[in-house]
Amino acid sequence: MASMEVDSSAGVREEGKLPQKPLFAALSAQEMEGKVEFRRIPVPPHRYSPLKKHWMEIYTPVYEHMKIDIRMNLKARKVELKTRKDTPEVGNLQKCADFVHAFMMGFDVADAVALLRLDDLYVESFEIQDVKTLRGEHEKRAIGRLSGKGGKTKFTIENCTRTRIVIADRKIHILGSFVNIKVARDSLCSLILGSPAGKVYSKLRSVTARLAERS
């Protein structure tokens, strides 16, 4: 009977080394067994005209670049999004929904379209009443402090934190990265609580300088 040599090291993992994690490519719409995903974004009445004016600027990146079907449902007053067979990644649908929703909040198309291109951008919203209960003239003065004369305060915070800010009456929307949104939100909250703009600028410069050193 012929002898058979067995390599004892075969199939044995080297000590201290873990097996490599499997890498799976993102599923395409076709690979999802024909499942179609939908998103519906309501259109506020005051955004009808801007939506009509900028429709092609919204339609082009969504339909041609992200490969997502888009249409305006006039009866339901909603923008409808749907995956296609040639949609490369299912995540594109949510990106497009975030993009359209940001536009409905009041962001310019040029700013909101960054949500399609970058993965680490978000939109955070809060109300003045979430920070401090203000009514009447006190609330109006707080809104005035947030904008500043000619929008100077808002623009300064945007430029320092590399964010975009929309002040829609009592609601405030911030578009940016997680860290930058936090810095911008802290500055806006300080203004709502009554801090003078000069003090907020000084703190903002020191915080942004520390962030620049870390990056």
Side-chain angles (χ1 to χ4, degrees):
M1 183 176 178
S3 62
M4 182 181 295
E5 294 184 1
V6 179
D7 185 0
S8 60
S9 65
V12 178
R13 189 169 53 200
E14 291 183 27
E15 187 176 353
K17 289 187 178 181
L18 296 174
Q20 291 185 347
K21 292 182 179 180
L23 298 175
F24 299 103
L27 288 176
S28 67
Q30 271 184 322
E31 291 170 330
M32 290 183 65
E33 299 179 357
K35 292 181 181 178
V36 178
E37 296 286 328
F38 291 93
R39 293 290 188 279
R40 294 180 178 90
I41 298 93
V43 182
H46 69 282
R47 297 301 287 173
Y48 286 157
S49 295
L51 179 63
K52 184 178 179 180
K53 181 180 178 181
H54 298 285
W55 178 252
M56 289 309 299
E57 297 173 55
I58 295 170
Y59 175 88
T60 301
V62 170
Y63 184 82
E64 295 185 2
H65 302 307
M66 304 299 284
K67 308 296 183 184
I68 296 291
D69 280 338
I70 178 172
R71 72 173 184 178
M72 174 63 190
N73 188 327
L74 294 174
K75 188 176 181 180
R77 296 182 178 180
K78 294 180 180 180
V79 174
E80 297 180 339
L81 302 167
K82 183 181 72 171
T83 56
R84 300 177 353 210
K85 288 185 177 181
D86 60 340
T87 303
E89 294 183 22
V90 180
N92 284 6
L93 180 64
Q94 187 58 49
K95 284 185 178 182
C96 292
D98 293 340
F99 163 54
V100 175
H101 189 227
F103 178 79
M104 299 308 169
M105 289 178 176
F107 291 101
D108 293 336
V109 176
D111 296 328
V113 79
L115 289 165
L116 301 179
R117 298 171 181 161
L118 302 173
D119 293 329
D120 61 342
L121 291 187
Y122 310 91
V123 176
E124 183 171 322
S125 303
F126 66 96
E127 294 189 22
I128 290 176
Q129 302 298 331
D130 297 334
V131 181
K132 186 177 182 181
T133 303
L134 298 172
R135 294 183 178 87
E137 292 299 319
H138 295 290
E139 186 180 66
K140 291 179 182 177
R141 281 197 290 270
I143 295 172
R145 285 197 300 273
L146 293 175
S147 296
K149 187 176 180 180
K152 179 184 175 183
T153 303
K154 183 174 82 75
F155 293 144
T156 301
I157 295 174
E158 286 180 331
N159 291 334
C160 288
T161 59
R162 290 181 290 179
T163 59
R164 287 293 177 266
I165 300 168
V166 169
I167 301 172
D169 197 15
R170 298 175 179 179
K171 293 184 178 180
I172 300 162
H173 310 293
I174 310 172
L175 168 65
S177 66
F178 179 80
V179 174
N180 291 339
I181 285 176
K182 185 181 183 304
V183 175
R185 186 184 63 230
D186 290 345
S187 299
L188 293 170
C189 289
S190 296
L191 291 169
I192 292 171
L193 293 171
S195 295
K199 187 176 180 181
V200 173
Y201 293 160
S202 178
K203 184 178 178 182
L204 190 59
R205 281 193 292 268
S206 64
V207 171
T208 52
R210 286 200 301 271
L211 290 175
E213 289 176 1
R214 293 178 188 174
S215 60

